[in-house]
Amino acid sequence: MPAPVPDHGVIPPLCTPLTPGRELDVPSLERLTGFLLDAGVHGLFVTGSTGEVAYLTDDVRHRVLDVVTSVAAGQVPVLAGVVDTTTPRVIAQARAAQAHGADAVVATAPFYAPTAPVEFGTHFRAIRAAVDLPLVAYDIPGSVHAKLPAHTVAELAADGTLDGLKDSSGDLDGLRAVLELVDTTRFRVFTGSETMADVAVFLGAHGLVPGLGNVDPHGYLRLWNAARRDDWAEAATEQRRLRALFRMITVGGADLGPYASAIGAFKHALVARGILAHGTTSLPMHPLGEREQAEVRELLAAAGLSAIHG
Amino acid sequence: MPAPVPDHGVIPPLCTPLTPGRELDVPSLERLTGFLLDAGVHGLFVTGSTGEVAYLTDDVRHRVLDVVTSVAAGQVPVLAGVVDTTTPRVIAQARAAQAHGADAVVATAPFYAPTAPVEFGTHFRAIRAAVDLPLVAYDIPGSVHAKLPAHTVAELAADGTLDGLKDSSGDLDGLRAVLELVDTTRFRVFTGSETMADVAVFLGAHGLVPGLGNVDPHGYLRLWNAARRDDWAEAATEQRRLRALFRMITVGGADLGPYASAIGAFKHALVARGILAHGTTSLPMHPLGEREQAEVRELLAAAGLSAIHG
Amino acid sequence: MPAPVPDHGVIPPLCTPLTPGRELDVPSLERLTGFLLDAGVHGLFVTGSTGEVAYLTDDVRHRVLDVVTSVAAGQVPVLAGVVDTTTPRVIAQARAAQAHGADAVVATAPFYAPTAPVEFGTHFRAIRAAVDLPLVAYDIPGSVHAKLPAHTVAELAADGTLDGLKDSSGDLDGLRAVLELVDTTRFRVFTGSETMADVAVFLGAHGLVPGLGNVDPHGYLRLWNAARRDDWAEAATEQRRLRALFRMITVGGADLGPYASAIGAFKHALVARGILAHGTTSLPMHPLGEREQAEVRELLAAAGLSAIHG
Amino acid sequence: MPAPVPDHGVIPPLCTPLTPGRELDVPSLERLTGFLLDAGVHGLFVTGSTGEVAYLTDDVRHRVLDVVTSVAAGQVPVLAGVVDTTTPRVIAQARAAQAHGADAVVATAPFYAPTAPVEFGTHFRAIRAAVDLPLVAYDIPGSVHAKLPAHTVAELAADGTLDGLKDSSGDLDGLRAVLELVDTTRFRVFTGSETMADVAVFLGAHGLVPGLGNVDPHGYLRLWNAARRDDWAEAATEQRRLRALFRMITVGGADLGPYASAIGAFKHALVARGILAHGTTSLPMHPLGEREQAEVRELLAAAGLSAIHG
């Protein structure tokens, strides 16, 4: 039986497939979950930023969790992003996630209203007290406009509030500071970086949560395995291939914006690989055009990736 | 019968009173609503930023609207903030607000995920199409980290998507640009500024939505009436008194943070005036201490404000 | 004999004309100075941001001051921007400005290295002690990435360090706070805003330092005079015309960047009006193209401005 | 004879010692230079950010260069920071640096006025054309508020404009992108990071320019040598010791500000080690107090560092 929070490894943040009418595409989500499990991932992270969590109504969030936990069937732990503005709303999301089968919850700092540093501890302690599940802090300053300081994470690790950290800050110096301060025999640190995953493992990170891992889980597993055996040259070679593939996130250019471009690229790559039926993204994101979709396919080909199904 | 969006005037963004256990304090909310109506306000704005909207679960948001629309009983329009991360979630909030009696909805730009400018129009048009209520754009870059450009507001005003703008950006130059571009016979522009309300009216704004208007609605009504009769010296005198009173928002200092300090100050001022039973704020905000509460009372006294009830 | 710091009025920040080879164009600078004096301005501000101060070597800065003080010949005070990174370098600039005839110096907060608030007072006091000229603080957070707090300005006004403030922050609320805190019988507050000049005077500002005042000094003098006699409607009408004219600063678009676009537009407008011989700007700014220059001329025509000379 | 730009290794950015009266302390600068040469550094970088370049008048900058080139006497190359606001002023600084014996110049992007991306190339090409010395781009967004994009650096490397990059951005992902794009047989990439130096070398960086290298050059040389022989565990161990030592930069706390705190700490550490006579920093920086100086000495002791002289 797996630990509720994965001990280590590759834990992709699943895309949320949609139909052209922007309903949840359940068969595609089942295929994606199966594809990742077949590749050998160590955990599944649903309703994260890559999963368009901020665009999903509560009902859709719950159905995503139902589908993925059903397919996973206990083979690996399923973590759920419980992304909402502040403590009371996050607690409500976390309780619902628990009811829908999550093995752990992943919560950001408060956002929308400006947050004082003193509120970080209060926030996570209140979630911890309200929900009986492992709790992972989600450090994503690009979305919440605040950075969790390393000493705050360490304090909340030491007192049992937090069980882990998903670091999507891009701040490797800060990641290293956390790893120096926490008890790494029980606290887990995961990086959200697609492009510096090898460095994160070099610094001691326990796992990878790369959005690009939807598209190429095998690549991240090879990188992970090379790094685990201290074969840094091999890990860097795999990382270099994945860095080139990751350029797909900019195909949409400035007009489409960075997020619509990235999510659209991941989804169209999954269409090209035969996993998703549609590349549809949520409103108000604009879709990739034909030219951008072709660029995604070229990057897949350059990375040596072909269709899995079909 | 009032217009669904107030034509002009003072429309305070109501605080959301809480019990010490952080439940909705319905009697206090009823008293606050009555206090503002008695003062002669032209509209009521519930579940805005001052109303701690980001801290209220959906259920509490709905009950706030039920209470306030019930007390208002059609005397003035009730606008509801439908604050959520992106289009699908805002639409869900807006539909619920309509079901609970809102006369108009007030929606921000998307937040959490970075938003491209091209998405602003898509966002508001989708809300407009989904909900049959007047729609006011809520420009609050301090919370959503994006500024609505004047030309975008003007375009969405011209095509009937937007009926008004609540400008909480602090950018008076931008406010002026909007007023130069829109058809002011039908589109309404409200400022969220407590401290430059006279200037906003001087520039042509149709109304005021000041958080401090919970505490001193009579002051803002005097300012509004002076400005309406072009008595700018009188308006500036009133504004100067209100600017001094507004210093209450910093009583909490850097440790408490700007938002917890401001909301705590408004609520404790309302306690001192006999309107609210408690100064409690939502988690994870920390409360004002005794010293800070005393400073609030001193500022009230200096502004010539006493208890209304009790 | 005029006061060293102008008591009030319109004090344009002079453009620095360059030859096509990017040498100082002395005849054009003489014509520009004469044009502004003939219009009736109350002071002249050289080597400010509009004057490309950050692009001028020390030698060119000194020659600009020599030329302008020579043409002005004591008719109005000449203020010199002494823009450099930190205290020792600003003091060197200020001493040189004094040697070259400046009647007052205008200094920003330190920039390049991050500055702590405690350093603001130390900085201005050291300049004050080193140079026997009136000292005006130049609040320009867009360039120095720090805002001078109102209470700091007030403290430095009260102890005689500062004689005035040039506010190029765009923060009218902060401008108002300064005006509430300082002794306005001796301390002077000038706004750098082109587009909210009427509001600044409404709030009590003593003068205007608009870059667009190079192009249309008569317009700003009409605005100033209307505001001084409390004819706010007339001031707003003039302001509206000037706001439309000010759109010239964006002709260069995103590629050229905001600064190169604005300075290029001012200079080409002055070429069109017959004052400057060339529209050349400093390196590394890119020049306006033919199409952008034509747009500038169209905006001049729409504002009713024609050539003065030639 | 050494290459004009060091091929690789440790190139400390020298502190600029000052007397209590804030004059250049030449004997201390000679001792510091000798200390670093004795330690075996591969180059010397003067008038960088650590050297308080933004606080030094032109005359002091030149004398620093005279002193250091005289002591170095060709043993290792001496690079000079030519930090000024824009192209014409940087060219003047670069010409003076050449006249005073610099082997290479290190120039930032323009600052003060906002810079458009198109101006980066124009800026560096104009410097390249004006000064016959190797040219290193200094990427320091914390000071200039713009990041040099990797593709721009690569383009300027490919056409011979730039000979190297000093990356003080903290963006290791961007550092990696540069290293993937440039011809590393001739273009050199140095990191300014004190705390991620091992990772930078792991990614392919050619050298280290750590401010803390003034205080502990032997530590950075051990780190460098371990990394060069692929002994990453040993490099990480040394890095961990240096990370703990680097905590000295925060001894001054928020009141003193990050820059005054860091420079003060480096200088007082050098006083404690017997290299510098005084810990004086430039105006308007405030000095470290007795307690902060004691903390610096404690961190030195904890890192196993003692006095070299005296």
Side-chain angles (χ1 to χ4, degrees):
Chain A
M1 182 188 158
V5 173
D7 185 63
H8 63 262
V10 179
I11 307 119
L14 276 73
C15 287
T16 302
L18 300 177
T19 67
R22 295 199 179 84
E23 300 294 325
L24 181 64
D25 176 354
V26 173
S28 287
L29 181 55
E30 290 171 338
R31 268 196 306 274
L32 175 60
T33 309
F35 169 58
L36 298 172
L37 290 171
D38 290 351
V41 300
H42 303 78
L44 297 166
F45 175 40
V46 300
T47 59
S49 300
T50 302
E52 296 170 66
V53 62
Y55 300 79
L56 307 181
T57 60
D58 290 352
D59 177 58
V60 176
R61 293 183 186 198
H62 304 160
R63 288 162 56 210
V64 165
L65 204 38
D66 291 342
V67 169
V68 174
T69 53
S70 171
V71 175
Q75 300 173 65
V76 299
V78 177
L79 291 77
V82 290
V83 172
D84 217 316
T85 44
T86 63
T87 318
R89 294 182 64 87
V90 172
I91 287 174
Q93 298 282 358
R95 286 179 172 149
Q98 184 169 32
H100 288 271
D103 294 305
V105 291
V106 186
T108 73
F111 55 95
Y112 186 77
T115 298
V118 73
E119 296 175 5
F120 294 140
T122 306
H123 175 67
F124 287 111
R125 287 190 183 103
I127 302 168
R128 162 79 296 160
V131 183
D132 184 27
L133 275 182
L135 175 60
V136 176
Y138 191 172
D139 191 26
I140 185 163
S143 286
V144 308
H145 302 276
K147 173 89 181 81
L148 294 178
H151 67 87
T152 301
V153 173
E155 187 184 312
L156 296 170
D159 73 8
T161 300
L162 294 179
D163 300 284
L165 172 72
K166 176 184 185 301
D167 182 358
S168 295
S169 71
D171 175 4
L172 290 161
D173 201 319
L175 179 83
R176 191 172 213 171
V178 169
L179 285 159
E180 287 174 351
L181 292 171
V182 298
D183 173 4
T184 52
T185 62
R186 55 158 297 279
F187 189 82
R188 305 286 91 178
V189 177
F190 307 111
T191 179
S193 176
E194 276 88 359
T195 54
M196 300 293 274
D198 58 339
V199 172
V201 182
F202 174 68
L203 295 174
H206 304 95
L208 314 177
V209 190
L212 187 63
N214 284 276
V215 175
D216 190 8
H218 305 87
Y220 280 101
L221 285 156
R222 282 193 299 270
L223 185 159
W224 169 257
N225 289 323
R228 289 283 276 186
R229 61 176 187 266
D230 281 345
D231 187 346
W232 300 110
E234 174 63 22
T237 299
E238 189 65 41
Q239 181 68 85
R240 187 174 179 121
R241 192 184 59 83
L242 290 163
R243 284 175 65 89
L245 180 63
F246 191 60
R247 279 186 220 136
M248 72 170 62
I249 68 164
T250 61
V251 292
D255 280 355
L256 211 60
Y259 190 73
S261 176
I263 303 301
F266 291 162
K267 286 187 155 180
H268 278 288
L270 286 165
V271 169
R273 299 208 74 191
I275 316 284
L276 259 59
H278 315 283
T280 312
T281 53
S282 303
L283 284 177
M285 288 186 272
H286 283 220
L288 296 189
E290 285 300 327
R291 190 180 55 75
E292 290 88 355
Q293 295 177 32
E295 283 181 48
V296 169
R297 289 190 296 269
E298 283 163 28
L299 285 164
L300 286 173
L305 297 180
S306 55
I308 300 297
H309 296 274
Chain B
M1 181 189 159
V5 173
D7 184 63
H8 63 262
V10 179
I11 307 119
L14 276 74
C15 288
T16 302
L18 300 177
T19 67
R22 295 199 179 83
E23 301 294 324
L24 182 63
D25 176 354
V26 172
S28 287
L29 181 55
E30 290 171 338
R31 269 196 305 277
L32 175 60
T33 308
F35 169 59
L36 298 172
L37 289 171
D38 289 351
V41 301
H42 304 79
L44 298 166
F45 175 41
V46 300
T47 57
S49 300
T50 301
E52 296 170 67
V53 62
Y55 300 79
L56 307 180
T57 59
D58 290 352
D59 177 59
V60 176
R61 294 183 186 198
H62 304 160
R63 287 164 57 210
V64 166
L65 203 39
D66 291 341
V67 170
V68 174
T69 53
S70 170
V71 176
Q75 299 173 65
V76 299
V78 177
L79 292 77
V82 289
V83 172
D84 217 317
T85 42
T86 62
T87 318
R89 293 183 65 87
V90 173
I91 287 173
Q93 297 281 358
R95 286 179 172 150
Q98 184 170 31
H100 288 270
D103 295 306
V105 291
V106 186
T108 73
F111 54 96
Y112 188 76
T115 298
V118 72
E119 296 176 5
F120 292 140
T122 306
H123 175 67
F124 287 111
R125 286 191 182 104
I127 302 168
R128 164 77 296 160
V131 184
D132 184 26
L133 275 183
L135 176 59
V136 176
Y138 192 170
D139 190 25
I140 185 163
S143 286
V144 309
H145 302 278
K147 174 91 180 82
L148 294 178
H151 67 88
T152 302
V153 173
E155 186 184 312
L156 295 170
D159 73 7
T161 299
L162 294 178
D163 299 283
L165 173 73
K166 175 183 185 303
D167 181 359
S168 294
S169 71
D171 175 5
L172 289 160
D173 201 317
L175 179 83
R176 192 173 212 170
V178 169
L179 284 158
E180 288 174 350
L181 291 171
V182 298
D183 173 4
T184 52
T185 62
R186 57 159 296 278
F187 189 82
R188 304 288 90 179
V189 176
F190 307 111
T191 178
S193 176
E194 276 88 359
T195 54
M196 299 293 274
D198 57 340
V199 172
V201 181
F202 174 69
L203 295 175
H206 305 93
L208 313 178
V209 191
L212 188 63
N214 284 276
V215 176
D216 191 6
H218 305 88
Y220 281 101
L221 284 157
R222 283 194 298 272
L223 185 159
W224 168 257
N225 288 324
R228 289 282 277 186
R229 62 177 185 265
D230 279 346
D231 187 345
W232 300 109
E234 175 62 24
T237 299
E238 190 64 41
Q239 181 68 85
R240 188 174 176 120
R241 192 184 60 82
L242 291 163
R243 284 175 66 88
L245 180 62
F246 192 60
R247 280 185 219 136
M248 72 170 64
I249 67 163
T250 62
V251 292
D255 279 356
L256 212 59
Y259 190 73
S261 177
I263 303 299
F266 290 163
K267 286 187 156 181
H268 277 288
L270 286 165
V271 170
R273 299 207 73 190
I275 318 285
L276 260 58
H278 315 283
T280 313
T281 52
S282 304
L283 283 177
M285 287 186 271
H286 284 220
L288 296 189
E290 285 300 326
R291 190 180 56 73
E292 289 87 355
Q293 296 178 31
E295 283 182 48
V296 169
R297 289 191 296 268
E298 283 163 27
L299 285 163
L300 286 174
L305 297 181
S306 55
I308 301 297
H309 296 275
Chain C
M1 182 189 156
V5 173
D7 184 63
H8 64 262
V10 178
I11 308 119
L14 276 74
C15 287
T16 301
L18 300 178
T19 67
R22 294 199 179 82
E23 301 294 324
L24 182 64
D25 176 355
V26 173
S28 287
L29 181 56
E30 290 172 338
R31 268 196 305 276
L32 176 60
T33 308
F35 169 59
L36 298 173
L37 289 170
D38 289 351
V41 300
H42 304 79
L44 297 165
F45 175 41
V46 301
T47 58
S49 300
T50 302
E52 296 170 67
V53 63
Y55 299 79
L56 307 180
T57 59
D58 290 352
D59 177 59
V60 176
R61 293 183 186 198
H62 304 160
R63 288 164 57 212
V64 166
L65 203 39
D66 292 340
V67 169
V68 174
T69 54
S70 171
V71 176
Q75 299 172 67
V76 299
V78 177
L79 292 77
V82 290
V83 172
D84 217 317
T85 43
T86 62
T87 318
R89 294 182 65 87
V90 172
I91 287 175
Q93 297 282 358
R95 286 179 172 149
Q98 185 169 31
H100 288 271
D103 295 305
V105 292
V106 186
T108 72
F111 54 96
Y112 186 76
T115 298
V118 73
E119 297 176 4
F120 293 140
T122 305
H123 176 67
F124 287 111
R125 287 190 183 106
I127 302 168
R128 164 78 295 162
V131 184
D132 184 26
L133 275 183
L135 177 58
V136 177
Y138 192 171
D139 191 25
I140 185 164
S143 286
V144 309
H145 302 277
K147 173 89 181 82
L148 294 178
H151 68 88
T152 301
V153 173
E155 186 184 311
L156 296 170
D159 72 8
T161 300
L162 293 179
D163 300 283
L165 173 72
K166 176 184 185 303
D167 181 358
S168 294
S169 72
D171 175 4
L172 290 161
D173 201 317
L175 179 83
R176 191 172 212 171
V178 169
L179 285 159
E180 288 174 349
L181 291 171
V182 298
D183 172 4
T184 52
T185 63
R186 56 159 296 279
F187 189 83
R188 305 286 90 179
V189 176
F190 307 111
T191 179
S193 175
E194 277 88 358
T195 53
M196 299 294 274
D198 58 341
V199 172
V201 182
F202 174 70
L203 295 174
H206 305 94
L208 314 178
V209 190
L212 188 64
N214 284 277
V215 176
D216 190 7
H218 305 87
Y220 280 100
L221 284 157
R222 282 193 299 271
L223 185 158
W224 169 257
N225 289 324
R228 288 283 277 187
R229 62 177 187 266
D230 281 346
D231 187 346
W232 300 110
E234 174 63 22
T237 299
E238 190 64 41
Q239 181 68 85
R240 188 173 178 120
R241 192 185 59 82
L242 290 163
R243 284 175 66 88
L245 180 62
F246 192 60
R247 280 186 220 137
M248 73 170 63
I249 67 165
T250 61
V251 292
D255 280 355
L256 212 60
Y259 190 72
S261 177
I263 303 301
F266 291 163
K267 287 187 155 181
H268 277 288
L270 285 165
V271 169
R273 299 208 74 190
I275 317 285
L276 259 57
H278 315 284
T280 313
T281 53
S282 303
L283 285 178
M285 287 185 272
H286 283 219
L288 295 189
E290 285 300 325
R291 190 180 55 74
E292 290 88 355
Q293 295 177 32
E295 283 181 47
V296 168
R297 289 190 297 269
E298 283 162 27
L299 285 164
L300 285 173
L305 297 180
S306 55
I308 300 297
H309 295 274
Chain D
M1 181 189 159
V5 173
D7 184 64
H8 63 263
V10 179
I11 308 120
L14 275 74
C15 287
T16 301
L18 300 177
T19 68
R22 294 198 179 84
E23 301 294 324
L24 182 63
D25 177 353
V26 173
S28 287
L29 181 55
E30 290 171 338
R31 268 196 306 276
L32 176 59
T33 308
F35 169 58
L36 298 173
L37 290 170
D38 289 351
V41 300
H42 303 79
L44 297 165
F45 174 41
V46 300
T47 59
S49 300
T50 301
E52 297 169 66
V53 62
Y55 300 78
L56 307 180
T57 59
D58 290 354
D59 177 58
V60 176
R61 294 183 185 197
H62 305 160
R63 287 163 57 211
V64 165
L65 203 38
D66 291 341
V67 170
V68 174
T69 53
S70 170
V71 175
Q75 299 172 66
V76 299
V78 177
L79 292 77
V82 290
V83 172
D84 217 317
T85 42
T86 62
T87 318
R89 293 182 66 85
V90 173
I91 287 174
Q93 298 281 359
R95 285 177 173 152
Q98 184 169 32
H100 288 271
D103 295 306
V105 292
V106 186
T108 72
F111 54 97
Y112 187 76
T115 298
V118 72
E119 297 176 5
F120 292 140
T122 306
H123 176 67
F124 287 111
R125 286 191 184 105
I127 302 168
R128 164 78 295 162
V131 184
D132 184 26
L133 276 182
L135 175 59
V136 176
Y138 192 169
D139 190 25
I140 185 163
S143 286
V144 309
H145 301 277
K147 173 90 182 83
L148 295 178
H151 68 88
T152 302
V153 173
E155 186 183 311
L156 296 169
D159 72 8
T161 300
L162 294 178
D163 299 284
L165 172 73
K166 176 184 185 301
D167 181 358
S168 294
S169 71
D171 175 4
L172 289 161
D173 201 318
L175 179 83
R176 191 173 213 171
V178 169
L179 284 159
E180 288 174 349
L181 291 171
V182 298
D183 173 4
T184 51
T185 62
R186 57 158 297 279
F187 189 84
R188 304 286 90 180
V189 177
F190 307 112
T191 178
S193 176
E194 277 88 359
T195 54
M196 299 294 273
D198 58 339
V199 172
V201 182
F202 174 69
L203 296 175
H206 305 94
L208 313 178
V209 190
L212 187 64
N214 285 276
V215 176
D216 190 7
H218 305 87
Y220 281 101
L221 284 157
R222 282 193 299 271
L223 185 157
W224 168 257
N225 289 323
R228 290 282 277 186
R229 62 177 187 265
D230 281 345
D231 187 346
W232 300 109
E234 175 63 22
T237 299
E238 191 64 41
Q239 181 68 85
R240 188 174 178 121
R241 192 184 60 82
L242 291 162
R243 284 175 65 89
L245 180 62
F246 191 60
R247 280 185 219 137
M248 72 170 64
I249 67 164
T250 61
V251 292
D255 280 356
L256 212 60
Y259 190 73
S261 177
I263 303 300
F266 290 163
K267 286 188 156 182
H268 277 288
L270 286 165
V271 169
R273 299 207 74 189
I275 317 285
L276 260 59
H278 315 283
T280 313
T281 53
S282 304
L283 285 178
M285 287 186 271
H286 283 220
L288 295 189
E290 285 300 327
R291 191 181 55 73
E292 289 88 355
Q293 295 177 32
E295 282 181 49
V296 169
R297 289 190 296 268
E298 283 163 28
L299 286 163
L300 286 173
L305 297 180
S306 55
I308 300 297
H309 295 275

